[in-house]
Amino acid sequence: MKTPKLGVIIPAAGASIRFSSSQRKVLYHLQNQPLIVHAAFPFFNILELSVLVIVVPIGEKSLFSKIIKTAFPGKCWEVVEGGETRALSVYNGFKIIKDEIDIVMIHDGARPMISSQLIERVYNKVKEKGSAVPVLKIKDNIAVSNGNDSLAFPMNRDLLRVVQTPQGFRVDILGRAYEMIDCWYNYPDEGSLVGKAGFRVFEVPGEQINLKITTIEDIEYVEYVLRRRKL
């Protein structure tokens, strides 16, 4: 049985509205490298990787290409421009590689602390089941706001999960989801799209440190963790 070929799509075309810096979030430097380089690096250690696609803001293809070429000389990668939504950006990457791979993973460009172990867990689950999404169990209680300064507590937190990336799918499954769902371009991630299309979405254990950088305070936390690891 042949080893499934892996393609990775890293959407990095977001506007970074909540990131209080004049610099684009995925280009913010962490330990002398842009976040996007940290997010991509572990994937190049996966033997099954055929191609990695980074989806970037319109008009910034040459800038990102220079960064990726410098960081990953001799590796197989592409840079394409994104769309108005995250889903459209991912699809722009998917359509150029779908015919040459068997499994696709989508990973947020603002998650710089991804590990090779998590990538392998996702990849192996996709080989076995056809889909995989890393998740964390919720530690705190969950409430729903009624909109008038009062709360309701109807949820069983044991059944709730925090969803992370990389999310992985057999190419035919994600392709069918795009065909079956009319407004696929409005979905927040591919796991919810594939689930809406009627396919089972399987979970694997995520990692607490695999957080998505949203604010400048998140950067400070990651830098603190990295300093502690060196002690």
Side-chain angles (χ1 to χ4, degrees), residues 36 65 76 87 131 169 174 193 219:
I36 189 65
S65 295
C76 188
S131 67
F169 310 92
L174 183 56
L193 172 65
I219 290 281

Side-chain angles (χ1 to χ4, degrees), residues 16-21 25 28 35 110 211-222:
S16 306
I17 295 173
R18 290 173 288 178
F19 192 69
S20 54
S21 172
K25 179 170 59 177
Y28 195 93
L35 290 185
L211 72 127
K212 184 177 182 181
I213 301 295
T214 303
T215 67
I216 199 72
E217 288 77 17
D218 295 328
I219 290 281
E220 294 170 357
Y221 170 71
V222 169

Side-chain angles (χ1 to χ4, degrees), residues 160-188:
L160 299 176
R161 299 289 186 269
V162 176
V163 174
Q164 299 184 324
T165 67
Q167 300 182 6
F169 310 92
R170 284 204 330 255
V171 165
D172 60 309
I173 289 177
L174 183 56
R176 284 287 292 141
Y178 284 128
E179 295 171 357
M180 294 170 66
I181 305 300
D182 289 336
C183 297
W184 57 264
Y185 42 82
N186 288 327
Y187 278 73

Side-chain angles (χ1 to χ4, degrees), residues 8-12 18-19 25-28 30 33-43 86 106-116 118-119 122 133-136 161-167 188-190 206-215 218-219 222 226:
V8 174
I9 301 168
I10 301 183
R18 290 173 288 178
F19 192 69
K25 179 170 59 177
V26 294
L27 298 181
Y28 195 93
L30 179 66
Q33 288 284 7
L35 290 185
I36 189 65
V37 171
H38 289 279
F41 177 80
F43 290 98
R86 179 190 183 281
I106 302 96
H107 182 60
D108 297 321
R111 290 187 190 267
M113 300 295 284
I114 175 71
S115 72
S116 297
L118 178 54
I119 295 169
V122 172
V133 170
V135 299
L136 298 175
R161 299 289 186 269
V162 176
V163 174
Q164 299 184 324
T165 67
Q167 300 182 6
D189 66 359
E190 289 62 47
E207 295 175 346
Q208 199 71 44
I209 194 58
N210 182 33
L211 72 127
K212 184 177 182 181
I213 301 295
T214 303
T215 67
D218 295 328
I219 290 281
V222 169
L226 292 174

Side-chain angles (χ1 to χ4, degrees), residues 76-223:
C76 188
W77 52 267
E78 303 228 17
V79 173
V80 301
E81 292 184 340
E84 294 180 1
T85 67
R86 179 190 183 281
L88 284 167
S89 292
V90 171
Y91 183 73
N92 283 357
F94 180 73
K95 65 185 180 182
I96 69 169
I97 64 171
K98 62 183 179 67
D99 294 330
E100 57 185 277
I101 59 174
D102 305 298
I103 290 173
V104 60
M105 282 190 203
I106 302 96
H107 182 60
D108 297 321
R111 290 187 190 267
M113 300 295 284
I114 175 71
S115 72
S116 297
Q117 291 80 10
L118 178 54
I119 295 169
E120 291 284 3
R121 284 201 296 276
V122 172
Y123 177 78
N124 289 332
K125 179 65 76 170
V126 177
K127 283 197 300 181
E128 178 187 1
K129 297 290 189 179
S131 67
V133 170
V135 299
L136 298 175
K137 292 183 178 181
I138 293 178
K139 299 177 180 179
D140 298 319
N141 200 10
I142 299 296
V144 177
S145 174
N146 290 325
N148 58 358
D149 295 329
S150 64
L151 297 173
F153 295 84
M155 295 185 179
N156 180 358
R157 68 182 179 187
D158 292 337
L159 300 178
L160 299 176
R161 299 289 186 269
V162 176
V163 174
Q164 299 184 324
T165 67
Q167 300 182 6
F169 310 92
R170 284 204 330 255
V171 165
D172 60 309
I173 289 177
L174 183 56
R176 284 287 292 141
Y178 284 128
E179 295 171 357
M180 294 170 66
I181 305 300
D182 289 336
C183 297
W184 57 264
Y185 42 82
N186 288 327
Y187 278 73
D189 66 359
E190 289 62 47
S192 57
L193 172 65
V194 168
K196 181 65 174 179
F199 297 100
R200 291 187 66 184
V201 178
F202 294 89
E203 64 180 67
V204 299
E207 295 175 346
Q208 199 71 44
I209 194 58
N210 182 33
L211 72 127
K212 184 177 182 181
I213 301 295
T214 303
T215 67
I216 199 72
E217 288 77 17
D218 295 328
I219 290 281
E220 294 170 357
Y221 170 71
V222 169
E223 289 177 333

